[in-house]
Amino acid sequence: MAFPLGEYDSGSGLAPTTGGAGGVGAGGVGGHAAGGGGGSPPNCEGGPNPPLSDIVSDFDSGVGDNLQLLNCAEIVDGEVHTDPALTSEYCWVFTTGVRRLACDAVTVRILEAGEQQGVHRFIYIRQNDGDGALNVLQEGGGFGGDLTFTDTSFLLSQDGWWRVSADETTITFSTSADGATWNTKATATPSFPLDNISIAVGSGMWQNGATPSFDRFDCFNVGPPCGD
């Protein structure tokens, strides 16, 4: 599996952009945006592939099965730490294998969100058997990316838990203060199927001269009290 090659459209992170540069093992994550909003279908039967929510790790014993680290991402004291220090350096943990997002959800907890200018934290949603992609970005004190946002605000104490969920046609990004009560931030109707999807979580520096960032993630599909 390789993430699509692309170029980052430098910006504030509070408007639609694409993300990263390169492929797995070669540098970064590219993006091909497909945005919009939409409602839920009346039925959701999933699909033949296992759900992404089957991939579970609190990182206390490493990344676990079906997760891998790339570049400056490392496991420290049961957390994923990323500290991009060079322009175009992107570091993340990502899912492997054939998994579906349709009729499923992926959650992660961000414990520390570092430099807010020229560096973003992200969730990259990628189609494994095509070049479909959507990005959720956090920088500049808010959220942005390729989804249609109704709330771009970010406060770590209120938005420390992140969730990407989907029915058969619509992706929803939500945040939570406690990992139990979720607030919808954005939705998108992707132009690609959700039955063979990978998720990457991490951070990257896109702006020349930006201050290096230090970011901490935990609790991949593990609910509270994980990370406390």
Side-chain angles (χ1 to χ4, degrees), residues 12-156:
S12 69
L14 303 184
T17 68
T18 57
V24 166
V29 174
H32 302 273
S40 300
N43 298 301
C44 195
E45 298 178 355
N49 296 330
L52 279 161
S53 60
D54 279 357
I55 302 175
V56 175
S57 182
D58 60 8
F59 305 116
D60 288 347
S61 301
V63 292
D65 296 335
N66 301 304
L67 288 169
Q68 291 186 25
L69 301 171
L70 189 73
N71 295 338
C72 66
E74 59 180 344
I75 302 293
V76 179
D77 296 330
E79 302 169 357
V80 175
H81 291 186
T82 59
D83 56 350
L86 302 173
T87 305
S88 299
E89 184 174 26
Y90 289 78
C91 319
W92 65 83
V93 57
F94 67 98
T95 64
T96 63
V98 177
R99 302 277 174 165
R100 63 173 168 85
L101 180 59
C103 312
D104 198 36
V106 171
T107 62
V108 68
R109 187 173 185 180
I110 181 166
L111 301 173
E112 186 169 349
E115 175 60 38
Q116 290 292 305
Q117 302 300 322
V119 180
H120 63 227
R121 284 124 306 270
F122 57 75
I123 298 178
Y124 290 153
I125 305 162
R126 296 294 184 268
Q127 181 187 19
N128 287 330
D129 52 356
D131 61 0
L134 287 167
N135 303 322
V136 175
L137 309 177
Q138 190 288 306
E139 69 172 285
F143 286 107
D146 300 320
L147 284 68
T148 300
F149 279 79
T150 56
D151 180 3
T152 62
S153 65
F154 171 73
L155 186 64
L156 187 60

Side-chain angles (χ1 to χ4, degrees), residues 143-213:
F143 286 107
D146 300 320
L147 284 68
T148 300
F149 279 79
T150 56
D151 180 3
T152 62
S153 65
F154 171 73
L155 186 64
L156 187 60
S157 62
Q158 297 300 310
D159 303 300
W161 291 85
W162 296 358
R163 182 178 70 183
V164 173
S165 58
D167 55 31
E168 292 170 315
T169 62
T170 304
I171 291 175
T172 300
F173 172 65
S174 308
T175 67
S176 174
D178 58 8
T181 301
W182 295 90
N183 301 305
T184 297
K185 294 283 190 176
T187 59
T189 302
S191 60
F192 53 93
L194 301 178
D195 56 356
N196 189 357
I197 297 295
S198 291
I199 299 288
V201 179
S203 60
M205 179 186 293
W206 60 266
Q207 188 175 61
N208 291 331
T211 301
S213 188

